[in-house]
């Protein structure tokens, strides 16, 4: 029988992190602190991990110290996790580059939060994780509390299988502190999917450089489906099968857009709108994005929950333009046009910076802009 409990996003991720870690290196920073506190309390209570051991939890003097300790623990052969956000994640970036290059299976649980600029902000957006996007770390993004648990599971299984550091990301406060009834994953169901050979091999095994972590991620998502019954893709599409106007978003903003689309399609089934939810931001697969995008799509709107001052556009917007250019969707070749593909225009906008509300009315404004003005860049709700 499935087991249910009412948890917040931090606790949902922490119970998985504890079960699949040998060591956990912590330093508290809002809004990730409850994850570290939960893991620490589990260890103090004598709970056992997947290998029948109590997890060794160590609190460092700063996030920089935590990153160094995680790095050292991984080199020494311990499956290690940590929890961070905002400036804390920035202090870990130098070690992340090394961990990626050294094929170390660390897991970083991030409650995404604004980076302090001219003033301190403890509220949620994606500016911290975007600052780490060039390190090469794999990035899995949760939309809900249920997904925070499931993506934490995927992150640990992927790190083991791929010998690669992985971030399991949930929106700070919006998901990390949101309390929801979820189906708990039975730990006994996880055990058969822990790749024991990969653990023993540890650093001796690498993936094909032509098809790096994406292949492993799909296999891990298959394992998560086998364990939980909930399926995930790198990019999940929701909406009209022949949509002309498609938004692309990461994190909890997708729940608002999805709810809006379902409401609109109930009242007007011919409304040709859709949504692509990004579950895997790193590595970014142009092929899987192209496969998820309806061939009837004429306008794509990338919605970023971050700001890139001085850049031509925000990170997700640039990824989509590059990917669709590679896949010849911006200016389709004659053979693609003959198959019914439309030339795609890409626009971009910002939303939800520092935990600003993102409402169905704003979603309506986004789709209205796609149909008529097609203004880019734009900002909603700020």
């Amino acid at each position: 029988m499935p087991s249910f409990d009412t948890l917040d996003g931090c606790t949902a991720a922490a119970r998985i992190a504890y079960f699949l870690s040998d060591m956990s290196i912590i330093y508290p920073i809002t809004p990730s602190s409850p994850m570290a506190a939960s893991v620490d309390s589990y260890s103090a209570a004598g709970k056992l991990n997947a290998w029948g051991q109590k997890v060794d939890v160590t609190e460092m003097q700063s996030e920089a110290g935590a990153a160094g300790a995680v790095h050292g623990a991984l080199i020494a052969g311990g499956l290690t996790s940590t929890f961070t956000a905002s400036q804390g994640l920035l202090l870990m970036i130098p070690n992340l580059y090394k961990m990626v290059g050294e094929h170390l299976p660390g897991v970083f649980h991030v409650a995404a939060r604004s980076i302090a600029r001219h003033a301190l902000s403890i509220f949620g957006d994606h500016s911290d994780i975007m600052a780490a996007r060039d390190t090469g770390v794999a990035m899995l993004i949760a939309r809900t509390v249920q997904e925070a648990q499931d993506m934490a599971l995927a992150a640990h299984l992927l790190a083991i299988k791929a010998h690669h550091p992985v971030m399991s990301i949930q929106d700070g406060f919006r998901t990390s502190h949101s309390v929801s009834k979820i189906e708990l994953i039975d730990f006994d169901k996880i055990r058969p999917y822990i790749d024991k050979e990969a653990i023993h091999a540890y650093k001796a095994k690498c993936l094909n450089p032509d098809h790096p972590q994406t292949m492993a991620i799909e296999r891990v998502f298959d394992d998560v489906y086998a364990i939980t019954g909930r399926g995930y893709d790198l990019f999940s599409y929701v909406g009209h099968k022949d949509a002309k106007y498609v938004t692309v978003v990461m994190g909890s903003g997708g729940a608002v857009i999805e709810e809006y689309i379902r409401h609109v399609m109930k009242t007007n089934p011919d409304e040709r709108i859709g949504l692509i939810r990004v579950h895997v931001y790193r590595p970014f697969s142009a092929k899987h994005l192209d496969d998820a995008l309806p061939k009837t799509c004429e306008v794509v709107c990338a919605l970023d929950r971050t700001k890139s001052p001085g850049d031509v556009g925000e990170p997700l917007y640039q990824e989509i333009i590059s990917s669709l250019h590679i896949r010849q969707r911006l200016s389709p070749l004659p053979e693609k046009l003959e198959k019914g593909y439309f030339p795609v225009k890409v626009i971009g906008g910002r939303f939800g910076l520092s935990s600003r509300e993102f409402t169905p009315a704003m979603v309506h404004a986004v789709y209205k802009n796609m149909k008529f003005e097609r203004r880019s860049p734009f900002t909603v709700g700020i």
Side-chain angles (χ1 to χ4, degrees):
M1 289 288 291
S3 176
F4 295 88
D5 201 352
T6 303
L7 306 175
D8 61 20
C10 282
T11 309
R15 63 186 298 271
I16 299 295
Y18 188 88
F19 184 68
L20 290 171
S21 296
D22 292 322
M23 299 181 66
S24 191
I25 312 296
I26 63 174
Y27 187 79
I29 181 170
T30 303
S32 70
S33 300
M35 289 189 272
S38 294
V39 165
D40 197 18
S41 67
Y42 298 154
S43 181
K47 287 193 174 183
L48 304 180
N49 63 12
W51 300 277
Q53 303 165 341
K54 192 175 79 167
V55 174
D56 186 354
V57 179
T58 304
E59 182 173 346
M60 301 301 292
Q61 87 292 355
S62 72
E63 292 89 348
V70 168
H71 193 180
L74 289 166
I75 289 173
L79 295 173
T80 311
S81 59
T82 191
F83 315 91
T84 193
S86 192
Q87 254 75 8
L89 178 57
L90 300 192
L91 288 169
M92 296 182 174
I93 287 175
N95 290 87
L96 274 172
Y97 279 102
K98 291 288 290 177
M99 292 180 211
V100 169
E102 294 166 358
H103 306 292
L104 299 176
V107 180
F108 293 72
H109 295 270
V110 179
R113 189 192 111 183
S114 302
I115 291 174
R117 299 174 191 266
H118 68 287
L120 177 66
S121 173
I122 65 164
F123 299 108
D125 61 32
H126 294 163
S127 51
D128 53 358
I129 59 173
M130 290 304 180
R133 69 188 187 275
D134 290 336
T135 61
V137 63
M139 295 184 176
L140 311 185
I141 300 102
R143 179 177 56 106
T144 62
V145 176
Q146 182 73 70
E147 289 188 7
Q149 175 191 236
D150 296 352
M151 289 299 156
L153 172 62
H156 281 270
L157 295 180
L158 174 61
I160 291 168
K161 191 181 291 286
H163 294 143
H164 196 85
V166 182
M167 272 188 208
S168 177
I169 301 160
Q170 54 184 297
D171 284 356
F173 296 109
R174 181 66 65 195
T175 307
S176 67
H177 286 61
S178 176
V179 177
S180 182
K181 180 181 177 182
I182 69 167
E183 182 182 340
L184 298 178
I185 297 173
D186 184 346
F187 289 154
D188 288 335
K189 289 185 176 179
I190 297 175
R191 296 180 199 277
Y193 294 92
I194 299 172
D195 193 331
K196 297 177 180 63
E197 290 184 9
I199 292 173
H200 293 313
Y202 211 69
K203 286 163 53 174
K205 179 181 173 185
C206 295
L207 293 175
N208 185 325
D210 294 325
H211 304 284
Q213 293 78 22
T214 298
M215 294 171 65
I217 291 171
E218 288 185 289
R219 292 199 298 269
V220 165
F221 279 169
D222 289 341
D223 291 346
V224 170
Y225 177 74
I227 294 167
T228 68
R230 289 178 292 275
Y232 297 100
D233 297 308
L234 278 68
F235 300 91
S236 301
Y237 178 77
V238 176
H240 197 287
K241 63 181 181 65
D242 296 321
K244 294 172 65 176
Y245 310 102
V246 177
T247 52
V248 184
V249 72
M250 292 166 44
S252 60
V256 181
I257 301 175
E258 185 173 342
E259 185 176 331
Y260 172 84
I261 289 174
R262 296 192 191 285
H263 172 75
V264 168
M265 293 191 69
K266 278 183 183 178
T267 56
N268 183 6
D270 296 327
E271 188 74 16
R272 296 171 67 182
I273 59 175
L275 161 70
I276 291 177
R277 300 193 310 261
V278 181
H279 281 302
V280 179
Y281 179 64
R282 282 291 183 269
F284 200 95
S285 171
K287 177 187 182 302
H288 289 83
L289 174 67
D290 186 18
D291 290 344
L293 188 67
K295 65 182 182 181
T296 53
C297 179
E298 297 179 15
V299 183
V300 170
C301 179
L303 289 170
D304 274 277
R305 199 166 190 168
T306 188
K307 182 179 181 180
S308 298
D311 214 335
V312 296
E314 273 60 52
L316 186 59
Y317 169 77
Q318 294 194 53
E319 292 286 356
I320 290 169
I321 286 182
S322 299
S323 297
L324 296 184
H325 173 71
I326 290 169
R327 301 295 295 179
Q328 299 167 340
R329 291 292 295 268
L330 302 181
S331 301
L333 296 176
E335 52 265 34
K336 277 208 164 187
L337 291 172
E338 289 171 7
K339 293 178 181 177
Y341 285 85
F342 282 71
V344 175
K345 177 178 177 61
V346 181
I347 63 175
R350 306 182 191 120
F351 77 100
L353 300 189
S354 288
S355 287
R356 296 301 201 282
E357 286 293 335
F358 185 50
T359 66
M362 295 173 193
V363 177
H364 179 76
V366 168
Y367 281 108
K368 185 176 179 181
N369 180 58
M370 295 171 72
K371 293 177 185 177
F372 301 109
E373 289 186 59
R374 299 184 180 178
R375 182 187 303 175
S376 181
F378 65 85
T379 304
V380 292
I382 303 172

